[in-house]
Amino acid sequence: MNEADSENIAAAFRRRGYTLTEDLKKADAVVVNTCTVRQRAEDKAISQIGRLRKWKLAKPEGKLFIVGCAAQKLGEKEIKNRFPFVDEVVGAKAIEKFEDSLIAQLGPSPKSETTHQNLFRSPLTAYVTIMRGCSLKCSYCIVPAVRGPAVFLSAEAILEDAAAKIKAGAKEIVLLGQTVNAWRGAKTTFSELLSKVLALPGLQRLRFMSPHPLYFDDTFTALLAGNKKLARYMHLPVQSGSDRILKLMRRGYTRAQYLGLLEKLRGAAPGLAVSTDFIVGYPGETEEDFQETLSLIEEGRFSMAYCFKYSPRSDMSEMAATMSEPDIEARLEILLAAVKTNSRLVLNERIGKIEEVLFETETYGRASGNFAVRVKARGTPGKMAEVLVAGADKNTLNGKVL
Ligand code: 5AD
Ligand code: SF4
């Protein structure tokens, strides 16, 4: 979501005739888009702002914007108190009003073209935000507080955005939202929205991120089974393998229900790759709970997993960590090693199989299951091709175009 917001902000600057620079010395404006999902992210944002003091001193006419979730959590007053050289603070809830702040600070736009450029990914892939915020109440999570309850964009606005990005060259669309499959329109279900996006001419692949296990239904599995343009990949955060912890986290499903869902999805889309998120060291997590998380890695056959140490968020102080830092660290290392071993196995299972690859260069692309794929020449950038996988090294498959 933050990457997508950053791109929208960059597009707003472009509409005013600005270009992006990596060189701080050349910059007339700097935007720090902050995250606060874990304390470490917030700390990084704060020190980044501190480092900009020098830039502002050297260029007093330069504009410094602090935006996003940490800006929302800390508030304009606290940020300006600590960093008086900041020009404007725009919290995550007001992120769509960023353009107004921009006009106020920089004057009206000299240009009116609508341009878009990916900042973080292949030019073939475009993000389309379909919802903002989250209406769930996972115990550990600060997102609902800083981004507010779920708000769904209209089907019309989503289709217009997707069509414009395809016209500008995108071959792959990623629909975005905190609980993306909870989306619903006035008269449209999530699956119907997917069908409409899939029907846009020129689109080669559709992904969405991140779904929540509670919101899948049979119309979705039917669509997945019937439409190969829908990626054979899903990032489906599970957080823990222990029913006791899942309940404390208020995730709304059990381990068995989660695994049942995986089975159903893989029944509809054989070979579906699934990645996930884990939190380690949740308050009260016992060795037994942790072992259940470990065993879930293999049982879920995850292609990849992000592992996070539990980070108490200040609004939820009663949820202080109960494990010592070295103990959490030790579990994290075990978890990371298990994920690594499992990812290798899952990757190796692809050897000898055929993958649908969207090529970014002649020799590099991404499989439908989101695996990186290398071939010796022959792919066409922007085009899909079948690749017979011959081997795997580190995180990459290699093979030849059929
Ligand atoms: N501590 C650690 N990890 C967290 N996440 C969200 N909140 C916290 C927290 N307080 C993780 C979850 C989520 C991912 C985006 O960040 O795993 O899926
Ligand atoms: Fe946070 Fe995701 Fe739970 Fe929403 S569903 S509260 S964003 S972890």
Side-chain angles (χ1 to χ4, degrees), residues 37-38 140 237 239 277 279 308-311 313:
V37 73
R38 289 168 294 277
Y140 51 82
Q239 315 298 1
D277 290 348
I279 296 176
F308 305 108
K309 285 190 281 186
Y310 172 69
S311 168
R313 309 312 295 120

Side-chain angles (χ1 to χ4, degrees), residues 133-153:
C134 179
S135 291
L136 295 183
K137 301 231 164 346
C138 302
S139 59
Y140 51 82
C141 184
I142 198 171
V143 169
V146 288
R147 283 196 179 264
V151 176
F152 304 130
L153 275 78

